[in-house]
Amino acid sequence: MNLPYYGESAALATAVCWAVTALAFESAGRRVGSLPVNLIRLLMGFAFLVPVMWWRRGIPLPTDATPEAWLWLGVSGLVGFAFGDLCLFRAFVLIGSRLSILLMSLVPPLTAMIGWLILRESLAPMEWLGMALTVGGVTWVVLERMPDTGAGSRRPSTVGVLLGIGGALGQAIGLVLSKFGMQDYDPFAANSIRVLAGIVGFAAIFSFTGGWSRFVQALRNPAAMQRT
């Protein structure tokens, strides 16, 4: 599709979606916990991807992907979803969606830095300046004191901030890995592989921690399910 600024428009739409869903996920996570919300929304996402792939490609599952694509996209999904979103959704609960999404603005400079280190991608001086301004702005806001319900003010939770940075790092690494696996493959099918890997990752976490009862309780919580 050769529309002007098509890629930029898609990126802007993604940012709008993230802003809306961050508020919903924060609300749902405070009710039933971040882990159940993560797995439930991935299952929902995959349920939406299947008919879209069927309509676009004539096959509901990414069965035509090469083993190399499955490998890189699978690892990308584990890092981006199972690690990155695990950190991010917990950060939603600890420091709120506003500061968590602000920390996610570190994803572009982190992705560029990883691409420079691993893929040997070149960065112009203005790009380095842009990354420095982004990191500086985020640092400035994080170091500011937040208004408290009581007297005085308080710093945001250190653990929450570190989890937010972990979420950004997971997303950045996942994006770089997806570049290896996607190549010219269909983006919806590629994303479905990443989502499947994320589902497997979270299922393993639930099995290891014995948290399936919390997952069932979350499914029975109407308010949390509506927001998810």
Side-chain angles (χ1 to χ4, degrees), residues 75 88 96 200:
V75 175
L88 175 62
V200 171

Side-chain angles (χ1 to χ4, degrees), residues 39 43 199 202-219:
L39 180 55
L43 292 170
I199 291 172
F202 278 110
I205 293 173
F206 273 100
S207 299
F208 182 75
T209 60
W212 285 109
S213 60
R214 294 175 56 197
F215 176 78
V216 174
Q217 290 173 2
L219 292 175

Side-chain angles (χ1 to χ4, degrees), residues 64-86:
D64 59 335
T66 64
E68 183 180 11
W70 274 97
L71 173 63
W72 286 111
L73 292 171
V75 175
S76 169
L78 287 173
V79 174
F81 289 127
F83 171 74
D85 285 356
L86 176 66

Side-chain angles (χ1 to χ4, degrees), residues 17-152:
C17 289
W18 262 106
V20 174
T21 56
L23 297 172
F25 286 145
E26 177 189 355
S27 179
R30 291 185 186 278
R31 284 171 167 79
V32 296
S34 57
L35 269 176
V37 172
N38 258 306
L39 180 55
I40 292 170
R41 64 104 186 194
L42 285 178
L43 292 170
M44 288 180 173
F46 188 73
F48 281 112
L49 280 170
V50 168
V52 171
M53 288 189 294
W54 205 341
W55 170 66
R56 280 174 53 91
R57 311 174 69 240
I59 52 176
L61 299 174
T63 53
D64 59 335
T66 64
E68 183 180 11
W70 274 97
L71 173 63
W72 286 111
L73 292 171
V75 175
S76 169
L78 287 173
V79 174
F81 289 127
F83 171 74
D85 285 356
L86 176 66
C87 294
L88 175 62
F89 278 50
R90 185 57 186 163
F92 282 154
V93 176
L94 293 178
I95 59 176
S97 56
R98 182 190 70 87
L99 190 53
S100 298
I101 291 300
L102 175 66
L103 289 169
M104 290 302 289
S105 64
L106 295 174
V107 171
L110 286 173
T111 304
M113 183 68 69
I114 295 170
W116 176 68
L117 291 172
I118 298 178
L119 303 178
R120 300 302 179 186
E121 295 177 341
S122 59
L123 293 172
M126 287 299 293
E127 292 171 327
W128 283 105
L129 176 61
M131 292 194 302
L133 288 173
T134 301
V135 174
V138 171
T139 303
W140 185 3
V141 175
V142 168
L143 292 179
E144 282 186 327
R145 290 188 175 274
M146 301 169 59
D148 204 346
T149 53

